Structure formats: C-alpha cells, structure tokens
Amino acid sequence: MRKALVVAPSWIGDTILAQPLLARLHEKHPGLALDAFAPAWAAPVLARMREVRRVVPNPFAHGEFNLAGRWRAGRELAREGYDVALVLPNSWKSALVPCFAGIPQRIGFMGEARRGLLNRIHRLDEAALPQLAQRYALLAEDVGTTAPAPLAAPHIEVNPESVRATLAALGLDANKPPVAFCPGAEYGPAKRWPARHFAELARRLAQTDFPVWIVGSGKDRPIGAEIAQLAGGAARNLCGKTDLGQAIDLLSCARLVVSNDSGLMHVAAALDRPLLALYGSSSTAYTPPLSRRARLLSLGLECSPCFRRECPLGHFKCLNDLTPERVLGEIQGALS
C-alpha cells in the first residue's frame, strides 16, 4: 500500500477516535501517503494530525444522497490513483464515492447492503471491541483478525504562532492558564450538564483565582451566555467567537478542561490537557476520551446510558444530580 484514502466520520469526536487507525496504517506501511475525505467542519482537526497528508473536502451534507454529485466526486478522485480506501461510516452512501473512483481495495464493516461497494469486509464483534476507536483500528488489520494492535493515543498538533494570533484576536492572556468549559453537545440536551451547574462551578473557581473560558461553536452561544450571566462575571463566554481551529488553540492553553461528552472533549484529550468528562445519556465504555489525563464522571444510574437526545423519563437526573461540589472535588484532585 502506497496511497490510501480514508472516508472520515461526520462527527469531530469520532474523527479524533479514528486517529489510532491512521497511526496503525503508517506503522504497517512506511512512507504511506494518506488523505482524508472529510466534511469541512472536521478539516481543522485532520489538518493537525501528522498522519494526514491532505484533506479532500467531502461536500455532501449529513444524510444527503445526491448520486450524480457522488459520481462526479468519485471520478475526480480516480485521478489520484489510490490503492486503498477505508470507509469508516457504516452507511451505504459513504461507500459510493470510493467505488465510483475505482479504488481497487475498499475496506469497511458489513452494513447497509454494502457488498459490492466494498470488497474487503470486516464483521464486527461488538462485545470483543466495545470502543469505537478499537473498531476503527481493526480496519487496518487482516479480515478475520479478532482485535487490533494496542491503540496509539490521539494527538493533534498546535502551532504556537496560531495560538498567539488567536489570543491576540480575542484579547486574552494565557499567562494565567484558564479552566476551560465546553458546555455544548450537538447530540442533544441529555448530554449537557446544566448551565446553572457550570455557573456555580465558575463562581467556586473564581474564589481560587482561576480564570474560566467558555469555549464552543456558534450553536453554543446561548448556553455560553446563560452560564456567563449566572456566573456573575466569573466566566468569559467565547462560544461562537472562534472557528474550530481557534477553539483548538484556546483549549491548548487550558490548565484543565471540563466538558460534556462532545467533540471538544476529544479535542482536549488529543491536546493532552487534564480533562474532566461529564457523562449523562452516553456511554463511558463506547467513546471515552483516549487520554491518561482524563477523568470520567458518571453517576451510573440504572437508567443510563440510554443514548437518547432527551431524557425519556423527563428528570435528567444523570446530569442534574452530578453536583458542582462533586466536580470541584475532582478538579482539585486533577490539579494536585
């Protein structure tokens, strides 16, 4: 294998969890040229992975079919002469472009009538491989292999000049490293720690002279503003004021990150920042941050993980009952 294309996931966190696969491909194939076919919003993460030569824009919206567009994209990629394509999403649509590109080996998991579109198909034993990162990494191995090699920890690069430019653009001083809050979670409310809890935590941290930055996308601007208001000036809301690349720069400055189970949680882990990951409806077993500096907080209620966007019981106890005092205690332990 000399040239490979990876069809990347749509989610930021899943993209980071795919990095151990990319590292394994380079380990098995020295000198490999590896490109990623990925949506624009994931490009800043992939561009900071040393394993990726370049990002090929995936122009299709989540769930969009557009057969003619996928045919044209495949014919454009055919010029690149890829030897192998690894298709990480499980959908039928995601396997079309590599097939239309005529890439000789097309690798992925069985699913959604993809036989023919893929010609090297792995069968997934979910019990043997509980983590998503393990499942992705298996695609680097021979079909029939029961487990991938030990996973490399994800790591994304940071450019010091970019960090300085981001701080200057936002008027921030990182001489006193902040605690960063990541209160968003695109999947839904059942993954979001309450704004009032973040605000109370910010007030407690202000008493110990820790600055707090709230980091997130434009979609997180309202919850960031709510936290900042409830915190009474103890936190600065930066949600929506950065692109993803700048958010990465900000998180690289943090002395510690407190995050919901989200893409930025995995970004913090890949930056090797001390991390408190707050879990509600999702599973700590399936997509944990792959970092020895991460602490995972979950109440482990009988009803969780339910994997629902909204609490099906209407009480959100898995996150409401995870108190700021409990999180503050974990922060003190992590920083000591």
Side-chain angles (χ1 to χ4, degrees):
M1 186 192 303
R2 61 179 184 82
K3 197 171 184 182
L5 179 72
V6 171
V7 179
S10 295
W11 301 97
I12 299 299
D14 291 358
T15 299
I16 290 175
L17 293 177
Q19 193 178 15
L21 162 65
L22 311 185
R24 178 63 173 157
L25 289 170
H26 279 283
E27 180 184 339
K28 294 187 69 173
H29 306 282
L32 176 67
L34 193 155
D35 296 343
F37 185 64
W41 57 83
V45 167
L46 288 159
R48 287 163 172 77
M49 294 183 182
R50 64 184 67 180
E51 296 88 354
V52 177
R53 183 184 67 162
R54 72 184 182 109
V55 180
V56 180
N58 179 347
F60 306 108
H62 187 68
E64 179 185 358
F65 181 44
N66 192 352
L67 183 62
R70 290 177 190 270
W71 168 261
R72 288 191 295 270
R75 298 322 299 158
E76 289 177 12
L77 286 173
R79 303 172 190 163
E80 297 292 334
Y82 293 110
D83 305 303
V84 176
L86 297 100
V87 182
L88 274 57
N90 284 326
S91 69
W92 180 72
K93 297 185 294 293
S94 62
L96 286 171
V97 171
C99 185
F100 291 154
I103 299 173
Q105 277 198 72
R106 302 181 299 277
I107 303 170
F109 286 109
M110 179 73 71
E112 280 201 15
R114 304 201 300 176
R115 191 177 294 279
L117 296 177
L118 303 178
N119 54 19
R120 186 171 147 195
I121 299 177
H122 290 257
R123 293 183 180 274
L124 176 60
D125 183 343
E126 295 184 356
L129 299 175
Q131 292 184 11
L132 181 61
Q134 295 171 326
R135 299 175 187 181
Y136 286 157
L138 184 63
L139 297 179
E141 311 300 332
D142 295 332
V143 172
T145 302
T146 56
L151 299 185
H155 176 72
I156 54 179
E157 307 283 339
V158 174
N159 183 318
E161 291 184 6
S162 175
V163 173
R164 285 193 289 271
T166 295
L167 293 174
L170 295 169
L172 297 171
D173 180 5
N175 288 326
K176 184 181 288 185
V179 173
F181 288 175
C182 301
E186 183 120 358
Y187 186 73
K191 291 178 70 172
R192 297 184 195 133
W193 202 43
R196 66 182 185 279
H197 286 359
F198 272 114
E200 175 61 23
L201 183 61
R203 289 194 296 269
R204 299 288 189 92
L205 290 170
Q207 295 172 6
T208 56
D209 205 26
F210 283 176
V212 174
W213 297 350
I214 310 171
V215 181
S217 70
K219 294 179 180 179
D220 304 322
R221 188 182 285 113
I223 192 170
E226 183 182 359
I227 293 168
Q229 179 184 16
L230 292 173
R236 179 164 177 181
N237 181 26
L238 301 169
C239 294
K241 298 182 179 180
T242 66
D243 57 25
L244 178 57
Q246 292 171 316
I248 293 171
D249 289 340
L250 294 182
L251 292 181
S252 74
C253 300
R255 72 173 72 205
L256 181 133
V257 177
V258 181
S259 178
N260 296 327
D261 177 14
S262 66
L264 289 183
M265 175 191 77
H266 291 288
V267 166
L271 290 168
D272 199 31
R273 295 292 81 211
L275 169 66
L276 262 63
L278 312 176
Y279 278 79
S281 68
S282 55
S283 169
T284 57
Y286 180 52
T287 54
L290 300 181
S291 168
R292 288 180 293 181
R293 304 185 79 183
R295 295 184 177 210
L296 280 56
L297 295 184
S298 171
L299 294 180
L301 301 182
E302 188 177 35
C303 56
S304 60
C306 68
F307 299 104
R308 302 286 287 274
R309 294 177 184 269
E310 300 269 357
C311 176
L313 302 176
H315 54 54
F316 290 95
K317 284 187 176 181
C318 57
L319 289 170
N320 283 335
D321 290 358
L322 183 58
T323 64
E325 291 79 13
R326 167 88 179 269
V327 176
L328 182 63
E330 293 288 343
I331 288 176
Q332 293 166 340
L335 293 179
S336 65

